[in-house]
Amino acid sequence: MATPVQQNRSTRLHWTPPPSELFKTNFDGAVFPHDKKSGIGVVIQDHQESVIASCSKLVHQELCSEDIEATASAWALSFALEVGVKRAVIKGDSLFVIKGLREEERLLIPLGLLIEEAKQLSQHFEELHYSHVKRDCNVLAHNLARHAAGIPDLLVWMEDIPSHFL
């Protein structure tokens, strides 16, 4: 059994691969209050860290941070299905959203409706797991979400990602 490693702020967290039969799908949301808009970033990788697909999507309204994270989770599931992913580990840095996605019960709050949309999409997967990651482990999805501020609607990259996002 491995000994847990205590990490401090200067320790860089490393990429962890999903099991070989699953794809890792990271999502993140960003809010641009000055522009009254929000952004979504998604990156899908295989177990060898190869990018399968990624995207930046602009949302033409300013959402609160939890709402954009929930919206991003649904978009990540939809995007994964569009590119043919049916077995995945979905990772995001909002613990509240990840917990909501794992819950069997419906959340009776406005955010619950956004999470329910993601839950509906999850029914189309053969295998799906949810995982909370620290922001340090979600940098690529975060950078893609921030990039959405400068695009008109949606940018998709297949099997590659521009190096300035890394």
Side-chain angles (χ1 to χ4, degrees):
M1 182 172 179
T3 305
V5 177
Q6 184 175 355
Q7 296 182 346
N8 58 37
R9 289 186 182 168
S10 64
T11 304
R12 179 173 163 91
L13 301 173
H14 295 286
W15 188 86
T16 56
S20 62
E21 68 277 4
L22 301 177
F23 291 91
K24 184 166 107 168
T25 303
N26 286 65
F27 69 88
D28 200 18
V31 179
F32 316 119
H34 180 70
D35 299 324
K36 295 186 175 20
K37 296 179 182 179
S38 305
I40 294 171
V42 178
V43 61
I44 302 171
Q45 295 172 289
D46 66 13
H47 69 283
Q48 296 177 330
E49 200 174 359
S50 297
V51 174
I52 303 305
S54 59
C55 71
S56 291
K57 177 171 178 43
L58 184 65
V59 177
H60 295 277
Q61 65 185 49
E62 180 185 353
L63 300 174
C64 72
S65 61
E66 287 180 343
D67 286 355
I68 191 60
E69 291 287 341
T71 302
S73 72
W75 177 256
L77 291 165
S78 176
F79 183 62
L81 289 168
E82 271 191 49
V83 298
V85 170
K86 294 284 195 161
R87 301 167 64 89
V89 177
I90 304 296
K91 296 188 173 201
D93 57 27
S94 170
L95 183 58
F96 187 79
V97 169
I98 295 298
K99 281 183 177 181
L101 291 168
R102 288 179 178 157
E103 288 291 318
E104 296 286 328
E105 302 168 5
R106 296 184 114 188
L107 296 173
L108 300 176
I109 57 175
L111 177 62
L113 296 174
L114 297 171
I115 291 175
E116 285 303 312
E117 181 181 350
K119 286 181 178 180
Q120 291 296 318
L121 289 164
S122 71
Q123 296 174 9
H124 299 284
F125 285 80
E126 295 170 9
E127 184 175 356
L128 188 62
H129 305 274
Y130 299 104
S131 178
H132 174 255
V133 296
K134 294 190 182 289
R135 181 170 293 264
D136 292 350
C137 294
N138 209 28
V139 172
L140 187 50
H142 179 73
N143 290 344
L144 289 165
R146 300 289 310 158
H147 181 69
I151 64 174
D153 185 48
L154 174 68
L155 279 179
V156 174
W157 297 270
M158 297 299 293
E159 299 180 7
D160 197 11
I161 191 162
S163 61
H164 63 277
F165 292 115
L166 302 174

